[in-house]
Amino acid sequence: MTAAPDWNWHGGAVEAAKRHFGGGNRPWLDLSTGINPHCWPGADTIAIDWHRLPEREALAGLEAAAAAHFGAAPHHVCAVPGSEVGLRLIGRILGGAAHHVAPSYRTHGEMFAGTAPIARGEARAFAGTLVLANPNNPDGHVTDTASFDAMLAGREGWLLVDEAFADCDPAASVAHRVQDEAPLIVFRSFGKFFGLAGVRLGFVIAPAPVLAPLRALLGAWPVSAAAIAIGAAAYRDRGWVEAMRERLFGEAAALDAMLGRHGFAPKGDCPLFRLIDTDDAYDLFDRLARAAILTRPFADQRRWLRFGLPGSGEALDRLDAALAYD
Amino acid sequence: MTAAPDWNWHGGAVEAAKRHFGGGNRPWLDLSTGINPHCWPGADTIAIDWHRLPEREALAGLEAAAAAHFGAAPHHVCAVPGSEVGLRLIGRILGGAAHHVAPSYRTHGEMFAGTAPIARGEARAFAGTLVLANPNNPDGHVTDTASFDAMLAGREGWLLVDEAFADCDPAASVAHRVQDEAPLIVFRSFGKFFGLAGVRLGFVIAPAPVLAPLRALLGAWPVSAAAIAIGAAAYRDRGWVEAMRERLFGEAAALDAMLGRHGFAPKGDCPLFRLIDTDDAYDLFDRLARAAILTRPFADQRRWLRFGLPGSGEALDRLDAALAYD
């Protein structure tokens, strides 16, 4: 009996996988998330003032650095301790009925008490409050500008765009379109592109009437001294950002080529992960786990398996070999 | 004209004070908060896994270590990214009318939309939802066990006890009295006693029906990898905790003696800060600020000034000398 349904939650549970599948002392290859395997390199050397409360100016500096990276106005940008809590708090603040594009990130279905799934094809014409991810997770689909134009024109409810995976391709983002008069809210994640998910840092980009109650719920020190110091420095490191974008697209192409050699047709326009469709993804998940490779199955989609980037030629070869073993 | 009312906010704004008051290159002595000047020493050497999302087991381990320190049941303890956001989220979750004991911590007046201040003397007989701090801030008053017995007996509304400064004296805490059947919620702060406010870590200790919606609002990764690693190790360091309690009471006694020699009668049963009552605290604030010592004035109490612990004999002497200069 497959164990795959136990691993369909959020990914990243490699310690639990070690306990379940064993694998001896061999290091696990964790491909179960969309977190960049190449971390921004400054996190371990940057000085963190753990002692004092973060000052308001330091928080404003982080938000300004992030805003410049997003192409958004700084006064629309609010730092939150992870985009996960940002999604949930905004759902609570807005309230009311909503729809969320499915399939997508699990939390989108938990933001609003009265939410219902809607197919991507129907979402474009839906004028009520709508949650979608761009790029989407897990299929990596990128919604184009014309679709956003259509969704924003004459909109009645809120359009909530989760851009947790948008850093690889800034052209896909609508963060610059947030304004006080438009019903658009954008969510960004620090940890995925910068490979630093343990920092817990995200951003809500929203009109002032939404940010005011959000800031009131968070209080004066919403994120840690580490999130401020590491986040501000990383967002300002434009050379690293540019080089990383190019590197990730290259590595995704190599993953695509390898998966293609095994007969898969990987989907996705975000280079941080790829989705495959196969006869029995649970069986493939189990086989890979027995080779100490953790991937991401889905509870209600037995044909799907998602792969994060292996991060090195050696890791890619290891996945290649495990896929060849039948 | 005094600048003191600009500094009555939360304390800890030493960078802003430097800009306003100058003071050259002399290091400022920040006595504007109640944060322990002696940090738990492991924060800078502990290894932090910034890359991965924190695992569920690691979060549970932190909550168990904190619960043991609080004397509470682990399943009643929920980690939050700072007690500040914990207070605000619980106010939002409970809703309804409330009273908050005043004077106390500013946020208590912002947790509930429909809240009203109540004097300490009247609070004991008030049966509705009530917020109070123990020890209280800024006067350091400790509410005794008999008063809590009286407040919990036959209670109709919630009793919300902010124990942000309770670590120095575990006998004052009511964390062990939280149970699923009692209308009691306790808030704890990591950063104050452990001197690590930049970590942003706090705890809500509450009945299961309150923790469920709180966890639903926070999502799966409420605190950073650093908060988990540092917090768990610090709470388990019982030798440091015991020795620090003794040290802080000794240093508070030395501060009391020095303030007494200047004619003040400092108030407070929490060793992390002392409150004095004087004819013009704003004037005294200004004089100390010109000596690069930041203290804590109060917007609506011109006679009050709060001092954190100086943290060394040298710093105590510096405050002593600045108070003597007239």
Side-chain angles (χ1 to χ4, degrees), chain B residues 192-210:
Chain B
K192 294 177 182 71
F193 178 74
F194 290 91
L196 298 168
V199 171
R200 307 315 300 136
L201 175 63
F203 296 87
V204 175
I205 310 169
V210 173

Side-chain angles (χ1 to χ4, degrees), chain B:
Chain B
M1 197 177 131
T2 178
D6 295 339
W7 305 94
N8 63 44
W9 193 58
H10 269 302
V14 79
E15 292 302 325
K18 276 182 197 172
R19 284 196 301 275
H20 183 88
F21 292 100
N25 291 324
R26 190 175 187 186
W28 275 69
L29 178 58
D30 184 6
L31 307 181
S32 69
T33 77
I35 298 167
N36 184 353
H38 313 294
C39 313
W40 180 72
D44 287 327
T45 52
I46 214 160
I48 313 288
D49 181 354
W50 292 119
H51 176 59
R52 294 192 298 149
L53 283 167
E55 300 230 5
R56 276 196 269 199
E57 291 83 352
L59 178 62
L62 166 67
E63 290 175 344
H69 174 84
F70 304 149
H75 67 280
H76 285 137
V77 174
C78 176
V80 292
S83 61
E84 176 74 16
V85 69
L87 290 165
R88 293 169 181 272
L89 293 182
I90 289 294
R92 176 90 185 202
I93 287 168
L94 300 181
H99 282 65
H100 58 280
V101 173
S104 189
Y105 182 55
R106 175 191 296 242
T107 297
H108 296 176
E110 299 174 1
M111 290 170 63
F112 294 88
T115 191
I118 187 171
R120 185 186 295 147
E122 294 164 45
R124 187 164 159 167
F126 176 72
T129 293
L130 179 71
V131 185
L132 66 84
N134 190 46
N136 193 39
N137 171 12
D139 62 12
H141 176 81
V142 171
T143 300
D144 61 21
T145 303
S147 295
F148 280 114
D149 290 343
M151 285 190 282
L152 283 168
R155 177 144 221 103
E156 287 158 24
W158 289 97
L159 181 62
L160 306 169
V161 185
D162 182 352
E163 294 190 351
F165 290 104
D167 300 80
C168 300
D169 179 10
S173 172
V174 292
H176 63 286
R177 298 177 72 161
V178 171
Q179 49 183 300
D180 285 341
E181 299 73 28
L184 172 65
I185 300 175
V186 173
F187 301 85
R188 298 291 290 241
S189 164
F190 173 71
K192 294 177 182 71
F193 178 74
F194 290 91
L196 298 168
V199 171
R200 307 315 300 136
L201 175 63
F203 296 87
V204 175
I205 310 169
V210 173
L211 285 195
L214 177 63
R215 290 193 189 277
L217 262 184
L218 292 166
W221 311 281
V223 299
S224 69
I228 292 175
I230 295 171
Y235 281 122
R236 289 184 187 124
D237 191 352
R238 300 198 179 191
W240 185 90
V241 168
E242 288 300 328
M244 184 52 60
R245 283 175 178 150
E246 199 174 317
R247 179 176 183 178
L248 292 174
F249 278 103
E251 293 187 6
L255 176 61
D256 283 343
M258 186 273 281
L259 290 169
R261 287 194 298 274
H262 289 281
F264 300 115
K267 279 200 289 193
D269 294 316
C270 173
L272 288 169
F273 55 86
R274 283 296 187 263
L275 189 72
I276 64 165
D277 186 300
T278 184
D279 283 345
D280 192 342
Y282 288 2
D283 180 63
L284 182 56
F285 169 86
D286 277 352
R287 282 203 289 128
L288 293 173
R290 284 193 293 272
I293 298 174
L294 190 64
T295 55
R296 177 71 159 78
F298 295 85
D300 46 2
Q301 298 282 356
R302 200 186 170 102
R303 297 185 55 88
W304 286 4
L305 201 62
R306 196 188 66 189
F307 297 82
L309 283 184
S312 70
E314 186 188 354
L316 186 71
D317 290 347
R318 189 171 151 194
L319 176 61
D320 191 4
L323 288 169
Y325 182 82
D326 208 348

